Every structure is written in structure tokens, then in C-alpha cells.
Amino acid sequence: MKTPLQARRPPGRWALLSLLAATWWLAAPPAAAQDPAAANAGAPPEPPPAAQTAPPAGAAQEDGAAQDDGAPQDGAPQDGAPQDGAPAADGAGAPPSGGGGAAPESGPRADRSPARRDRPGATSSRATPSKKRRGDINPCMTPDPGWGVYDRWSRAPSIGQMIMPHKGGVTKRGGFDVIIHFHGHEALRKEFVKTADGAVLVGIDLGIGSGAYSSAFSAPYVFENLLDSIERAVAKKTGKKKVYIRKLGLSAWSAGYGAIEQILRQPAGKRVDALVLLDSLHAGYADEHQRKLKVAQIEPFIAFARRAAAGEAFMFMSHSSILPPGYASTAETASFIVQQLRGKPRGSSRRDVLGLDMIRRFDRGDFHLRGYTGDDKPDHCAHLGLMADVMRVHLKPRWKTPQGRR
């Protein structure tokens, strides 16, 4: 069958116009390129200002403890990897975990929302301090004094890493002393090596917030395995067949107290002889309006403070004047512990390390409290600088650690 005649006709006027219209449409720029408003029509909305997105002051976990401030740091890796930058400061302190706590956040800390960075004290460690400090030193980025008699960080422990003297530091019977520090390990190392010359230092960093530390050490075997791994590492380095931990100390800055809370509740916690809390102890509120603390969260610390006051152990704690949102400050928890000892801090006026200004103190037996002014992140970081004197004035005379050497 032949094709109809009209189908073989040349294109008519309307067909040519349609062809020209299609050619023009293909060559024309997209509408979004001509109209910026149209270009953004399908894009997700911009985030609201920080003031609108910030959580309420009382935003809390299930137990009433506030979430973490999450102040950034200079790339501190997880699990105590060595770093040369600023410590993982939590700014206004680290909120209480309540025994459980959330897992550490993922993603770069520099990407935290403006709302979190704007909370009290939660400023970036890369920013210049908000006020001029004595000596023109940023406490969050102190100079490195070197390593003294110590070697470099070793990954030998089951968690974190450790340094020990190149030689020595162990008794003839194989006893050695160890400080296990939680949070900000590299910044603390700079202070530790200034005066320590024999004790082993173990540093553990598990992320932002006390919940990460509390969760990691909630099972008793974790801490027991850690102690065993430290002893094996010392045995390997010294060549001794039998070594043992003679004196054990726990130290924490900021969020690190979450691990210590768990450890002190466990059987192995009875082995702890010394406790150092550097602007580090927080608690939730049972009644925020009346500022009534959740005492159960800090009971292990109260019990240890009583032991120290009786001369059975050693405890040093410091506090800043930072007021965190929705949970108790380190000043409040320190005051509460002193009350449990039936004591009262006395006023003090002394210039201390890294620009700290002491305003009060309390001493009973081997329990020591030091309170300071300061309400920003550099003030929070500066408490790490107290470790050098804690070792020199208190722990070295108490432990009489065998001296190490290069």
C-alpha cells in the first residue's frame, strides 16, 4: 500500500515555526541562572540563627544532666593518639553522664553548630584568648618543654597510650607507680614531664563529653585489662619477668571524670591511692531551681574525699568559675564535697600558673581544694598547668617513686 501523498509533502509553515521554537528553547539559559530566587527555590532552607537553634539551658539526658558543650580542639585523635595541638577542651566543662551517656560524636569538631560554640566557655582552641593573660601564653596551646627522662608515647596499653622513663622508675622487686589520665593527655604530658621523673603516665582520650568515658569504663573488666596491659608493657621494656603496679593514681581534666566515676565504683577502684580532678567534676540537678545536686552521681568522689581527709589516700581537686548551662559547675560540686567533710573553704589571693588567680582553698589531711576565677576556655585549659606542682609538691614525696633516667 502506498503512503498517502500528504505525508510526503515538504514541511509547512507551522512545522518550521515549531522547529525554530524548539531550537531557541534548547539554546536559552536555565531559568534559575536568570533568577537567583528561582535557583534557590528547590534548595533546602538556610539554618536559623544560633539563638533559635540553641537547646534550652536545661536540655538534659534522661537523668537530667545537660548535653556536652563540645568545644573544638586541634585535631586530637580518639583513644589517646598523640597530638601537638590544644587539648580537647569542653569549654564550660563536661556535663555529667549519669552513669550511661551518649557515644562520642562523629565528624570534625570544627563543624559544630554555632549554637554549641556560643555556649559559655565553649570557644575554639584556635581563637585567641578573650583576655590578655600573664606571660602571653594561651593555656590551651602551651609550649612543649620536651620529654625529660621519658620516651615517646607507646600504644602498649589496651586503651590509650603511655610514656615511661628510658631507664629506671622500677624498684628491685619490680614495683612501679602509674598515673592514668583521662582527657587532654598531650597537654597534661607537657606539665607532667616538668617535675615527674619516674612514674609511668597513661593518657586516654575518648572524645567529647563525660558519657564517652563513663560508657567505655562501665564494665569492670575494661579497667582490669588496662592495668594488666600496663604491667606487661613495663615488663617488656625493663626486661623484668615480674613487675607490678605499686602506687596507682587517676587524673582527669574536664570530661574525663566520667571514667573515674565508674572505676571508683568497681573492685579495682580500691587500688587507687591518688585522685586528681582538674576543673573536672560535674553533676546533674535533682532540682535546678534550688540548685540541688544529684548526689548519687558524685558519691564515689565523696567517699574518696573522706578517705583522703583521713590520710588514707590523696585527693586534689580544682575548680574554675565557669557556669555551665543546666547542670552543676565544678565550683558547686567542690563546695558540696567540702560540706560533706564538714569544712568550709577559706579565702585566698594568689597568682598561679598560666594566668590562674586563686580565690579560695581548703585542706584537710591529704584532701586539697583550690578554687580559681575565670569563666572562659583558656581559664578551663589553664587547670592542666596545675599538674606539675601536684606531682612535685604532693605525689613525689608521697610515693617516693624510683627515679628514672635517660
Side-chain angles (χ1 to χ4, degrees):
M1 182 176 178
K2 292 184 178 181
T3 306
L5 182 62
Q6 60 268 30
R8 296 196 301 269
R9 280 169 145 185
R13 181 174 58 184
W14 293 109
L16 288 172
L17 289 174
S18 298
L19 183 61
L20 289 172
T23 302
W24 174 87
W25 181 84
L26 289 171
Q34 304 173 39
D35 183 3
N40 293 327
E46 287 292 318
Q52 299 177 29
T53 59
Q61 300 174 3
E62 290 183 2
D63 66 344
Q67 300 293 327
D68 173 52
D69 294 325
Q73 62 175 350
D74 289 347
Q78 300 291 323
D79 194 24
Q83 58 164 350
D84 295 323
D90 294 322
S97 63
E105 293 187 27
S106 60
R109 296 190 180 125
D111 293 339
R112 297 188 182 278
S113 68
R116 304 195 90 177
R117 292 196 300 269
D118 289 346
R119 291 163 101 179
T123 55
S124 170
S125 60
R126 294 177 181 172
T128 52
S130 57
K131 59 187 178 185
K132 185 176 178 62
R133 305 187 71 87
R134 293 192 299 273
D136 291 329
I137 295 178
N138 182 349
C140 298
M141 193 71 69
T142 57
D144 195 330
W147 295 78
V149 301
Y150 289 88
D151 56 13
R152 300 302 192 265
W153 291 112
S154 162
R155 288 284 187 178
S158 59
I159 301 178
Q161 52 197 315
M162 61 183 276
I163 59 172
M164 65 177 295
H166 286 277
K167 297 178 182 179
V170 182
T171 67
K172 291 181 179 180
R173 298 181 59 185
F176 67 95
D177 304 335
V178 60
I179 292 281
I180 302 176
H181 178 79
F182 300 94
H183 209 60
H185 76 285
E186 174 63 6
L188 184 108
R189 188 273 302 171
K190 296 177 185 178
E191 304 302 324
F192 178 85
V193 299
K194 290 178 180 178
T195 55
D197 57 7
V200 172
L201 173 65
V202 176
I204 298 175
D205 276 276
L206 297 177
I208 299 296
S210 60
Y213 292 90
S214 178
S215 297
F217 284 87
S218 59
Y221 73 86
V222 175
F223 185 60
E224 293 168 0
N225 289 348
L226 174 60
L227 298 182
D228 290 342
S229 68
I230 296 169
E231 290 179 339
R232 288 195 301 270
V234 173
K236 182 178 180 180
K237 184 173 179 63
T238 60
K240 292 181 177 289
K241 292 183 178 179
K242 184 177 181 181
V243 298
Y244 64 95
I245 295 174
R246 191 183 68 150
K247 297 292 185 181
L248 174 61
L250 301 181
S251 171
W253 173 71
S254 196
Y257 74 92
I260 295 179
E261 177 193 347
Q262 295 297 320
I263 292 168
L264 292 180
R265 297 180 187 276
Q266 299 165 6
K270 295 179 181 179
R271 298 179 59 180
V272 178
D273 177 71
L275 188 58
V276 180
L277 300 172
L278 304 172
D279 202 23
S280 184
L281 184 59
H282 293 275
Y285 285 126
D287 186 327
E288 186 175 354
H289 180 70
Q290 297 183 5
R291 306 190 80 80
K292 184 178 179 181
L293 305 186
K294 287 192 171 183
V295 180
Q297 293 179 342
I298 59 173
E299 280 179 346
F301 300 97
I302 297 172
F304 200 94
R306 287 176 175 148
R307 287 184 57 207
E312 301 170 2
F314 169 81
M315 183 171 178
F316 177 93
M317 65 186 306
S318 67
H319 73 76
S320 65
S321 295
I322 294 170
L323 298 176
Y327 56 94
S329 67
T330 54
E332 288 175 282
T333 56
S335 294
F336 187 84
I337 288 178
V338 171
Q339 289 173 8
Q340 301 310 299
L341 300 178
R342 299 188 177 183
K344 183 178 181 181
R346 61 183 176 87
S348 179
S349 179
R350 189 181 83 184
R351 289 188 167 191
D352 220 323
V353 297
L354 298 178
L356 287 175
D357 292 311
M358 188 187 298
I359 53 174
R360 65 176 187 162
R361 62 183 295 170
F362 177 80
D363 301 274
R364 177 170 294 173
D366 286 323
F367 174 87
H368 307 279
L369 165 69
R370 301 290 182 266
Y372 296 90
T373 62
D375 59 1
D376 61 10
K377 183 185 173 185
D379 292 317
H380 185 43
C381 293
H383 285 250
L384 286 159
L386 298 170
M387 191 64 180
D389 275 352
V390 170
M391 291 299 301
R392 179 180 61 84
V393 176
H394 299 290
L395 291 184
K396 287 181 66 175
R398 178 182 180 84
W399 287 356
K400 296 179 174 57
T401 302
Q403 190 166 352
R405 60 189 185 279
R406 290 193 62 84

